Amino acid sequence: MTTYRFPSNFLWGAATASYQIEGAWNENGKGESIWDRFSHTPGKITNGDTGDLTCDHYHRYPEDIALMRQLGLKAYRFSISWPRVIPNGMVPVNPKGLDFYDNLVDRLLAANIQPFATLYHWDLPQALEDKGGWRNRDTAHYFADYTAVMVKRLGDRVKHWATFNEPLVAAFAGHLWGEHAPGIKDEKIALQTAHNILVAHGLSVQAIRSVDSDLQAGVVLSLWPVEPVEDTPENITVAEKTWQEGGDILFLDTIFKGHYPPAGWEKAGDNVPQIMPGDMALISQKLDFMGVNYYSRQLVDVTGERVRPEGPEYTEMNWEVCPPAFYRLLTRLNREYRLPPLYITENGSSFKDEVSPDGAVHDPRRESYLREHFIQVHKAMQDGVDMRGYFVWSLMDNFEWGHGFTKRFGLIRVDYETQQRTLKDSAKWYAGVIRENAVE
Ligand code: FCB
């Protein structure tokens, strides 16, 4: 049997996001977020689920950190709820909101777990949405102010700061497909939103560095490589064209090359965003790390349509399980961009977990999904990709956006009735990987 050993300082972790796990949606001075508003709107979320309580992590974080410790996690990626610390997004700050993250960080450090903070994982203060949200460029400046508040408070202990989680999803799922808050469907708005978020990213990086130039600033991108369903020259060409015109490359090129991708720009026609002088330099400032969120690939046929052939394994999200595409993505990025060190900031799978009569959750498919993806990352590292850590999505089952509680991604099972946590088999297996720093 082959043993894939990782570098001794490789950071094994798990990830979550504020709206998906915290609950306490209106407690201790927290303001309303666009996800509170969206989930409270009938018809938006499967079963009418909301994040009002979800995993109740706001109250149970000591127990959750004890579980992280049991797993042996070396790092934990979480996001900060902007409206919890600045209820209307502008001023004033809510001291109790800041205290929550302060206590969380202290407890993580006491458990020897490195905190990785994400400043925006989609829960914009509703008060800012009422002023035009990300369509309004002012929001980018408020975001920089909020960044400074957080970094001043936590920067002595939190060394890694990601500005945005998946700006593509925030811009497009929220403003083009209408599936996420605030539920808009308009390409012109979506592209301006994407641009304003990129400006916010740039201003936020500046804010982080002006508080402490030694901090590590980065961004987290969702990447779904486009691949041909058939290995014909025609299909390969079409798949490449789809990638060139798509959303993933929009964020890669603007952030790491300082310009919009030409094919997508042309395709957008009159819907291209308004860009102010200096924006592209701001957006493409050098970063200290990049986070990669990888779940699956997009398969297209010769017409460029997404297809779902029978045969491959699919997760509960209907996402194809395709570990080799992960390797191809990482090595391609490494060839085509001058990237800072990479972290896998999300990778994981949702399956229909059952609780066995013995109380255990046997989830061999999740274990095998993770194992195969770890091996692909190992392979990419062998081929020279500078990768520093890996955060499994997710630490625990949680509110999966539009799908509510119907999709379970956790290493830890959450019983939403009793709030009981149970380590799934995959969690126990992962603890072994971390202990050995190797995958078999
Ligand atoms: C990503 C999100 C994360 C989670 C996973 C399944 O796009 O960043 O919050 O929902 O998908």
Side-chain angles (χ1 to χ4, degrees):
M1 202 179 341
T2 317
T3 303
Y4 304 88
R5 200 160 290 290
F6 285 75
S8 60
N9 54 356
F10 196 74
L11 280 183
W12 295 104
T16 62
S18 48
Y19 187 73
Q20 295 181 276
I21 65 163
E22 285 179 2
W25 77 281
N26 60 358
E27 253 179 75
N28 286 336
K30 178 181 167 292
E32 188 187 15
S33 80
I34 55 173
W35 270 95
D36 293 315
R37 179 68 62 90
F38 194 68
S39 70
H40 293 157
T41 307
K44 298 293 185 193
I45 314 291
T46 306
N47 298 330
D49 290 341
T50 74
D52 290 2
L53 177 63
T54 179
C55 307
D56 196 26
H57 174 74
Y58 182 79
H59 297 110
R60 294 170 193 267
Y61 71 92
E63 176 188 350
D64 293 333
I65 294 174
L67 290 168
M68 294 180 211
R69 194 174 188 164
Q70 205 176 322
L71 291 180
L73 295 193
K74 299 192 185 305
Y76 172 56
R77 172 175 178 245
F78 63 98
S79 81
I80 296 162
S81 160
W82 183 355
R84 191 178 295 291
V85 296
I86 309 179
N88 72 4
M90 296 168 285
V91 275
V93 301
N94 170 30
K96 288 192 172 157
L98 277 172
D99 288 347
F100 169 69
Y101 294 106
D102 207 72
N103 294 334
L104 176 77
V105 164
D106 280 346
R107 228 176 233 268
L108 285 167
L109 291 172
N112 223 349
I113 299 168
Q114 275 193 49
F116 275 58
T118 300
L119 287 156
Y120 190 82
H121 201 127
W122 310 348
D123 40 2
L124 183 75
Q126 179 63 39
L128 289 182
E129 181 60 32
D130 295 341
K131 294 170 166 296
W134 291 112
R135 276 102 63 215
N136 178 350
R137 208 177 146 105
D138 293 347
T139 300
H141 294 278
Y142 295 128
F143 185 69
D145 296 344
Y146 150 64
T147 301
V149 167
M150 291 318 306
V151 175
K152 278 181 192 152
R153 179 68 179 254
L154 302 180
D156 57 335
R157 287 155 289 156
V158 177
K159 300 301 174 190
H160 291 81
W161 293 85
T163 55
F164 282 83
N165 176 71
E166 303 190 346
L168 175 144
V169 177
F172 296 163
H175 303 81
L176 179 59
W177 311 322
E179 291 163 6
H180 281 187
I184 294 169
K185 291 185 189 173
D186 182 309
E187 188 183 48
K188 193 164 181 60
I189 287 178
L191 289 173
Q192 192 63 55
T193 294
H195 185 74
N196 293 348
I197 286 178
L198 284 164
V199 169
H201 157 75
L203 293 170
S204 175
V205 169
Q206 284 184 336
I208 294 167
R209 298 215 169 112
S210 68
V211 175
D212 180 350
S213 58
D214 287 338
L215 296 174
Q216 302 279 301
V219 69
V220 171
L221 301 184
S222 68
L223 295 166
W224 289 69
V226 184
E227 298 195 340
V229 68
E230 279 175 351
D231 226 2
T232 62
E234 296 77 16
N235 206 157
I236 293 169
T237 307
V238 167
E240 183 55 21
K241 181 166 181 274
T242 309
W243 169 260
Q244 293 295 339
E245 293 177 348
D248 297 14
I249 197 175
L250 186 156
F251 293 92
L252 286 166
D253 277 11
T254 48
I255 295 174
F256 297 105
K257 290 186 172 167
H259 62 73
Y260 275 87
W265 186 266
E266 197 164 304
K267 190 165 174 247
D270 292 343
N271 288 338
V272 296
Q274 201 194 355
I275 302 178
M276 307 287 261
D279 281 0
M280 297 319 293
L282 182 68
I283 292 168
S284 59
Q285 282 165 87
K286 199 168 178 302
L287 298 179
D288 301 301
F289 70 93
M290 164 172 157
V292 173
N293 291 357
Y294 174 83
Y295 290 92
S296 182
R297 62 173 173 175
Q298 315 178 53
L299 266 188
V300 295
D301 67 13
V302 74
T303 69
E305 282 298 304
R306 282 280 294 265
V307 290
R308 182 196 186 282
E310 291 306 321
E313 183 187 7
Y314 293 88
T315 68
E316 270 294 293
M317 295 295 280
N318 218 353
W319 295 345
E320 183 196 353
V321 178
C322 188
F326 196 11
Y327 167 82
R328 292 192 288 268
L329 168 73
L330 293 167
T331 47
R332 176 175 187 174
L333 292 176
N334 200 39
R335 275 194 308 273
E336 296 187 1
Y337 296 89
R338 288 180 53 199
L339 296 176
L342 304 186
Y343 290 89
I344 305 308
T345 34
E346 289 181 25
N347 172 248
S349 53
S350 164
F351 290 111
K352 259 208 169 43
D353 301 324
E354 306 285 347
V355 183
S356 296
D358 62 358
V361 181
H362 304 300
D363 59 342
R365 294 177 68 192
R366 181 171 294 102
E367 174 181 321
S368 128
Y369 178 98
L370 289 173
R371 180 177 175 279
E372 296 300 325
H373 286 80
F374 291 172
I375 291 172
Q376 296 298 322
V377 161
H378 186 274
K379 193 173 163 206
M381 290 168 79
Q382 298 301 102
D383 288 354
V385 183
D386 182 2
M387 219 117 47
R388 306 289 175 92
Y390 205 120
F391 295 82
V392 172
W393 185 271
S394 175
L395 175 69
M396 54 188 161
D397 294 338
N398 57 49
F399 176 85
E400 179 48 35
W401 310 112
H403 301 282
F405 295 110
T406 60
K407 309 289 179 208
R408 292 178 176 273
F409 275 90
L411 292 163
I412 297 170
R413 182 182 173 85
V414 176
D415 178 326
Y416 298 109
E417 300 287 309
T418 62
Q419 288 298 337
Q420 195 192 326
R421 274 84 162 132
T422 308
L423 298 195
K424 300 180 191 176
D425 284 1
S426 59
K428 297 175 192 161
W429 169 82
Y430 187 39
V433 170
I434 300 173
R435 207 168 41 239
E436 302 296 324
N437 199 29
V439 183
E440 301 230 304

